[in-house]
Amino acid sequence: MNGRKIINAKSVFAVCFFALMVAMGATAVVFYTKNILMGKQVGPVIEPDVPAVRSFNARYPFPKEKHSGASPFLLRMQNLFSKATAVYGRERTIQWILSLRTPLSSPFFHIPGTIDEISGSKVKTNGTTMIVQLPNGHFTYLFQPEDSAESWGMIEDFSVWLKKQGIPLFLLLPATKMDDSITVFPVRIPYSYAHMMVRYKAFLAEKQIPFLDAKDVLLAENEDFYFWFYKTDHHWNVFAGRLMAEAIARKLNDEFHVATDVRAIQKENLTLVKYPSSMRGSMNAGGWIHPEDFEVFYQRKESFFHLMIPGIGIDREGGFNDTLIAQPHLKASNPYCAFLYGGQALVRVENRSCINGTRVLVIKQSLAEVLCPYLACTVQYLDAIDLRFFDGCIRTFIEETRPDVVLICI
């Protein structure tokens, strides 16, 4: 009798679960058709000024084998990225589609978070990646150790090549919540970031490659390390972005003798604007945590800029508040993309209110997006290349543009 009840209960559960899956699937198909196939715009509408550039390989080609730069920095890495760009783009499109909310999405996405909260689990998932909840309520990804010899060798190779060009290289070592020299992980959670960083600094010192440790700069200003981060995101907030841009500008002035206008981004010359409950966070895909406030520093007396982002057809002039800060993104699902329109293959900024003649090239990934708009206020020219999307040759770009310094933030 009890066995029959158990079988009946399982049957009821199976039928209910199947019905829920059918309802979710049908609703998703309807929303997919409405939002994608019928051409509905998802996210902010950004009107292009000029035709967009889909590839940079023709404009900045890789050298031929007989060229003196036959093994340029990041050539292998860029080849990997160029092959992966299309795949990455498709993955982003799929994630974009999967992120579309339907009437049944909200309660369904809350189920994993609710189970985690009830069970007291400190290891969670945002749908694709494992994340850890720290005792202070912040979330972080786990550092994945790997063989770094090849990538470090490419850094050294690039440094040697730049020296021959008379261009200094400067590395910004990002501060991250994965750093176990500060972050106390729950029991049985593996960590190794701090050990890797000790070896990396020793390597850079041995090869005489200048660097700035962002962690030291941030902690000197505020000992609460987590003040500089969003609770449910791995990126720096605008307070860290502005401070690091100022620290970089000072280092360029003092140690590289490259002129910068630090006053342009000092706090007394900026106004902080808060956008309440608008930052959802990359580690909050389940949606179980209330969104955080998002802040932006705006110039009180705006500089005048010429902004070019070939990948999305942006070619416009105007003040800081309407060019380097993409206002449409502030009302979108990811306001972090407001900083110079998020991850773009190539961003070129001319600060026409600055006449120091300085040109800086930033080779970056997403972490540096929050500092680039403020660093652009201190120099006359700033170029930013994101390795995830740029399929051209960085050495060719450098040979044409001749920056005063190259900054890597990866």
Side-chain angles (χ1 to χ4, degrees):
M1 189 69 179
N2 290 337
R4 183 176 299 174
K5 289 183 178 179
I6 293 174
I7 293 174
N8 289 337
K10 288 183 176 179
S11 299
V12 171
F13 174 81
V15 170
C16 292
F17 185 79
F18 179 76
L20 177 61
M21 292 298 99
V22 170
M24 287 286 293
T27 307
V29 169
V30 171
F31 270 65
Y32 172 82
T33 303
K34 180 180 178 181
N35 291 300
I36 305 298
L37 297 184
M38 296 180 65
K40 181 178 178 182
Q41 175 71 31
V42 178
V45 178
I46 306 296
E47 294 293 339
D49 305 310
V50 296
V53 176
R54 300 304 178 190
S55 174
F56 295 88
N57 185 265
R59 178 68 181 82
Y60 305 106
F62 285 92
K64 297 180 180 179
E65 289 299 322
K66 62 181 181 180
H67 192 280
S68 60
S71 58
F73 165 67
L74 295 178
L75 176 57
R76 285 165 290 178
M77 187 178 292
Q78 280 186 255
N79 282 338
L80 171 63
F81 273 111
S82 64
K83 293 176 182 176
T85 296
V87 176
Y88 185 79
R90 288 194 292 270
E91 287 180 352
R92 289 203 304 169
T93 301
I94 293 171
Q95 292 173 1
W96 184 26
I97 294 171
L98 294 177
S99 69
L100 295 177
R101 292 295 183 257
T102 73
L104 296 178
S105 295
S106 182
F108 193 80
F109 275 115
H110 276 76
I111 292 175
T114 302
I115 294 175
D116 285 334
E117 292 300 322
I118 294 175
S119 65
S121 173
K122 300 302 181 184
V123 180
K124 305 175 186 293
T125 177
N126 66 354
T128 57
T129 307
M130 298 305 296
I131 58 177
V132 177
Q133 183 177 11
L134 304 176
N136 61 4
H138 275 255
F139 291 80
T140 182
Y141 294 122
L142 293 176
F143 175 67
Q144 301 295 326
E146 57 186 40
D147 185 5
S148 53
E150 184 176 16
S151 60
W152 292 8
M154 287 189 284
I155 292 288
E156 180 184 7
D157 179 66
F158 188 42
S159 175
V160 171
W161 181 82
L162 282 175
K163 285 180 180 179
K164 294 179 181 178
Q165 305 294 316
I167 301 173
L169 174 65
F170 169 33
L171 267 63
L172 176 64
L173 307 185
T176 171
K177 288 187 283 186
M178 294 187 294
D179 188 347
D180 50 289
S181 68
I182 294 180
T183 295
V184 178
F185 286 95
V187 177
R188 292 188 295 276
I189 297 297
Y191 51 84
S192 59
Y193 184 88
H195 177 66
M196 179 278 299
M197 211 49 153
V198 169
R199 294 187 295 111
Y200 188 42
K201 288 181 180 180
F203 165 80
L204 295 176
E206 177 187 352
K207 303 302 180 182
Q208 298 182 328
I209 300 174
F211 65 87
L212 176 64
D213 192 337
K215 180 176 68 174
D216 295 341
V217 176
L218 298 177
L219 290 177
E221 184 75 11
N222 188 331
E223 293 182 354
D224 180 7
F225 184 65
Y226 301 95
F227 168 81
W228 305 107
F229 296 89
Y230 300 105
K231 184 176 181 180
T232 61
D233 197 272
H234 61 292
H235 293 109
W236 294 336
N237 58 32
V238 74
F239 302 101
R242 187 214 64 83
L243 180 63
M244 291 313 306
E246 181 179 341
I248 292 169
R250 291 188 184 279
K251 190 175 182 71
L252 293 181
N253 254 325
D254 299 340
E255 298 184 25
F256 291 87
H257 307 294
V258 173
T260 58
D261 181 12
V262 178
R263 295 173 300 173
I265 56 171
Q266 290 180 324
K267 286 188 288 187
E268 58 267 26
N269 296 321
L270 303 173
T271 298
L272 183 67
V273 175
K274 180 182 293 186
Y275 300 87
S277 303
S278 59
M279 182 62 176
R280 191 162 172 264
S282 62
M283 304 181 204
N284 192 22
W288 64 83
I289 301 173
H290 190 271
E292 304 169 72
D293 294 340
F294 185 80
E295 294 100 350
V296 176
F297 278 115
Y298 290 101
Q299 283 189 314
R300 292 181 179 177
K301 182 180 179 181
E302 289 191 278
S303 301
F304 189 71
F305 295 92
H306 179 202
L307 172 67
M308 292 182 291
I309 309 179
I312 54 175
I314 296 295
D315 188 342
R316 60 189 59 170
E317 299 176 346
F320 173 90
N321 301 355
D322 293 318
T323 54
L324 306 196
I325 304 298
Q327 296 296 319
H329 278 289
L330 293 171
K331 300 178 182 179
S333 59
N334 183 11
Y336 186 77
C337 291
F339 300 117
L340 283 177
Y341 293 82
Q344 302 296 333
L346 175 63
V347 176
R348 310 200 69 181
V349 182
E350 179 185 358
N351 183 352
R352 293 182 173 171
S353 298
C354 180
I355 56 173
N356 56 24
T358 297
R359 181 183 293 276
V360 174
L361 169 61
V362 180
I363 300 174
K364 68 176 186 67
Q365 291 178 330
S366 63
L367 187 69
E369 286 163 16
V370 67
L371 71 82
C372 281
Y374 301 101
L375 185 60
C377 295
T378 71
V379 297
Q380 190 167 353
Y381 304 98
L382 182 136
D383 298 317
I385 288 177
D386 192 318
L387 280 177
R388 297 171 297 172
F389 312 111
F390 188 77
D391 62 349
C393 179
I394 291 178
R395 286 194 176 190
T396 302
F397 183 89
I398 290 174
E399 287 173 339
E400 289 192 16
T401 58
R402 304 299 304 176
D404 296 290
V405 64
V406 174
L407 170 65
I408 293 181
C409 181
I410 299 176

